[in-house]
Amino acid sequence: MTILQLKYVIAIDEECSMRKAADRLYVSQPGLSSAVRDLESELGIQIFERVHNGVVTTAAGASFIAYARSAVEQFEKVENKYLSGKGHKPTFSVSMQHYTIAVNAFIETVREYDLEEYQFSIRETQTGEVIEDIKTLKSEVGVIALSDFNKSTFKKVFADASLEFHELFTRNTYVYLRKDHPLADRDELSLEDLQDYPCMVFDQGDNTSFYYREEALATYDYKKVISTNERATSVELMLGLDGYAVGAAMLGDSLNSADLKAVKLKEEETLTFGYITRKGTTLSEMAQTFVEKLESVK
């Protein structure tokens, strides 16, 4: 097994196509296919299943590729540090669901370090990708919120992926809407009160299960729903369409937060905020600083 073979299977997994992966890697498709067959034979598993429009990764292949990504990333770090001729910058990467508190903690962390000496990366993404990023060491820390509904399920997901969930705090359920929304003057709202307005939810890609929703009350049968994949877009739709979102009343200094209001929701379900890390790992200095910023949230 070689690093080159690992890079090959990672590219194929990302492209879902031998041809596209070969083009991306600047190798011949027969050569790529031969390298994968050799690797599958050596490992004794089938990594990819050939289908009419490309390839799909098998369950055994997905497990192997997760380790392959980690190995390739570590190899590339060694290359960058010792073979590139340049000094290696200490790096810190974080993946998160769409929460302003995590963005603010990241900003405060970066401010404490010299950007010429350190390298930072932040990914605001889907729940499944946050978990995968930590599992494959793409990010050091993942910020995530669990609802009463999915908490027990995700604890098993974390255990199976050798991840640890570190609880920070819990919040009750609120609804976000624009300040001049027709219902904004209420002290409390129910989901029935809001049924004529569109609810904003974050698109979870292939993970369509209710368990992967980052909003509370995921199983409620909303009459009108609009899915988005960006926090800024969600806010703009709320302002322009009298929409609303279910959250934890933590607007902070987010985009357009001055135009939004949080109203208590009658239907109660708490959100537990925390962060995930690889089990048994020691956090870097920058990661520890980031966690301290998260822990300071009241």
Side-chain angles (χ1 to χ4, degrees), residues 39-56:
L39 182 59
E40 288 177 325
S41 176
E42 180 181 355
L43 297 174
I45 64 172
Q46 183 179 2
I47 301 174
F48 301 108
E49 181 179 348
R50 281 68 174 175
V51 295
H52 72 281
N53 59 344
V55 297
V56 294

Side-chain angles (χ1 to χ4, degrees), residues 253-294:
D253 298 322
S254 62
L255 184 66
N256 294 115
S257 62
D259 299 317
L260 298 177
K261 180 180 181 180
V263 179
K264 183 73 176 67
L265 200 59
K266 287 182 181 179
E267 291 84 355
E268 293 187 351
E269 182 176 52
T270 58
L271 286 172
T272 301
F273 289 82
Y275 63 95
I276 54 176
T277 59
R278 282 291 296 266
K279 187 175 294 184
T281 59
T282 300
L283 294 181
S284 66
E285 178 186 334
M286 287 176 287
Q288 292 177 36
T289 301
F290 176 73
V291 168
E292 289 172 4
K293 303 302 182 183
L294 286 175

Side-chain angles (χ1 to χ4, degrees), residues 70-87:
S70 176
V72 169
E73 287 176 3
Q74 294 303 315
F75 179 79
E76 289 176 346
K77 286 181 180 179
V78 173
E79 280 188 317
N80 290 335
K81 184 169 184 176
Y82 295 104
L83 302 179
S84 67
K86 299 177 181 178

Side-chain angles (χ1 to χ4, degrees), residues 108-219:
E108 292 179 14
T109 300
V110 173
R111 284 174 175 166
E112 295 196 11
Y113 294 87
D114 185 347
L115 280 171
E116 293 185 2
E117 301 295 329
Y118 298 90
Q119 184 172 325
F120 295 88
S121 173
I122 182 170
R123 271 171 48 85
E124 188 175 83
T125 187
Q126 300 163 341
T127 303
E129 290 194 1
V130 174
I131 296 170
E132 188 66 18
D133 284 355
I134 308 307
K135 181 180 175 181
T136 60
L137 298 177
K138 189 169 188 175
S139 289
E140 190 173 358
V141 178
V143 182
I144 199 167
L146 307 180
S147 66
D148 296 337
F149 169 69
N150 65 18
K151 187 181 294 185
S152 60
T153 298
F154 271 114
K155 284 185 177 179
K156 183 178 186 308
V157 171
F158 297 152
D160 290 345
S162 297
L163 304 179
E164 292 181 310
F165 177 73
H166 309 268
E167 183 174 329
L168 293 169
F169 51 82
T170 60
R171 290 289 187 273
N172 290 323
T173 313
Y174 283 72
V175 58
Y176 301 133
L177 31 69
R178 63 183 176 86
K179 286 189 174 180
D180 54 352
H181 189 283
L183 301 179
D185 60 346
R186 305 277 190 91
D187 293 327
E188 188 176 63
L189 287 168
S190 69
L191 291 176
E192 186 176 352
D193 294 330
L194 293 157
Q195 65 178 343
D196 291 331
Y197 303 95
C199 178
M200 305 298 151
V201 300
F202 286 110
D203 179 19
Q204 294 301 328
D206 294 335
N207 290 312
T208 56
S209 168
F210 289 134
Y211 291 103
Y212 278 78
R213 286 269 294 273
E214 59 188 88
E215 303 86 6
L217 302 165
T219 57

